[in-house]
Amino acid sequence: MPERLSPLEPVYHPGSHGNFEHGVDVILSETRPGSILQLAAWPGEEKRLIDAIRKVTGLALPDGAGGGISNGGRAAFGFAPGKFTVVDEAEGLAAAFAGVVTPAIGTLTDLSHGRTAIRIAGPKAEWVLAKFFAIDFALPAFPLGAGRSTNHHDVFAQIQRSGADQFDIYVFRSFARSFWKALCHASEEVGYEVH
């Protein structure tokens, strides 16, 4: 299997950057999951699709747009009525869904080749993200595991809270470098580290 190249390679600079004299408040990284899938249920088939996600991944996904779950290696969240993003560290998750998500239930699209996964973590992660998106990132409004679908200028982004002060952002691969540079610039004020 050929090594997957990152679109961030030319602008991915590990180390501390920005105003970090008093510490680093944000950690940025590319997570590189093996599988990023979008599943969509036909009207009335949402519960069957949620059950199919549970059978294949073991993730008990709550019903409803925005609800989600993350267990470290796998994650899933609803981003619109009947539409879900499912992520796995391992490759080949689409094949595992092949016999489970039938044409009667809905559709499956493998986006692994077309998305880049960026993680932002740290005590100022919510603050930095609020510079980009008109979303309430506070825990009560954006609980652990929950996901949102939004955009910054013309960059479509799906965001999932994967930890108390950690978010995973999925952007189109073709916009990844531009978004990464903007995210780094927005993090300079609080000091950031690239892992």
Side-chain angles (χ1 to χ4, degrees), residues 71-137:
N71 72 2
R74 286 185 169 163
F77 60 94
F79 65 90
K83 294 185 179 181
F84 306 90
T85 296
V86 181
V87 180
D88 194 332
E89 285 182 1
E91 293 183 14
L93 187 60
F97 275 104
V100 182
V101 177
T102 65
I105 295 173
T107 62
L108 163 72
T109 307
D110 188 348
L111 302 174
S112 307
H113 63 288
R115 298 288 189 274
T116 297
I118 296 170
R119 177 169 288 163
I120 180 170
K124 293 288 188 181
E126 291 178 8
W127 185 81
V128 170
L129 287 176
K131 290 181 173 185
F132 290 89
F133 308 107
I135 292 175
D136 186 350
F137 287 99

Side-chain angles (χ1 to χ4, degrees), residues 4-132:
R4 288 188 319 163
L5 300 176
S6 169
L8 303 180
E9 191 69 36
V11 293
Y12 199 87
H13 305 294
S16 298
H17 305 277
N19 184 21
F20 62 88
E21 291 83 18
H22 302 291
V24 169
D25 285 325
V26 170
I27 297 169
L28 302 176
S29 59
E30 181 185 11
T31 61
R32 292 191 178 198
S35 300
I36 303 173
L37 310 179
Q38 179 176 305
L39 290 89
W42 301 125
E45 298 297 325
E46 295 85 359
K47 290 192 186 323
R48 286 179 63 194
L49 183 59
I50 289 171
D51 190 50
I53 293 169
R54 184 191 53 74
K55 284 178 184 172
V56 172
T57 66
L59 298 172
L61 191 61
D63 195 356
I69 185 167
S70 176
N71 72 2
R74 286 185 169 163
F77 60 94
F79 65 90
K83 294 185 179 181
F84 306 90
T85 296
V86 181
V87 180
D88 194 332
E89 285 182 1
E91 293 183 14
L93 187 60
F97 275 104
V100 182
V101 177
T102 65
I105 295 173
T107 62
L108 163 72
T109 307
D110 188 348
L111 302 174
S112 307
H113 63 288
R115 298 288 189 274
T116 297
I118 296 170
R119 177 169 288 163
I120 180 170
K124 293 288 188 181
E126 291 178 8
W127 185 81
V128 170
L129 287 176
K131 290 181 173 185
F132 290 89

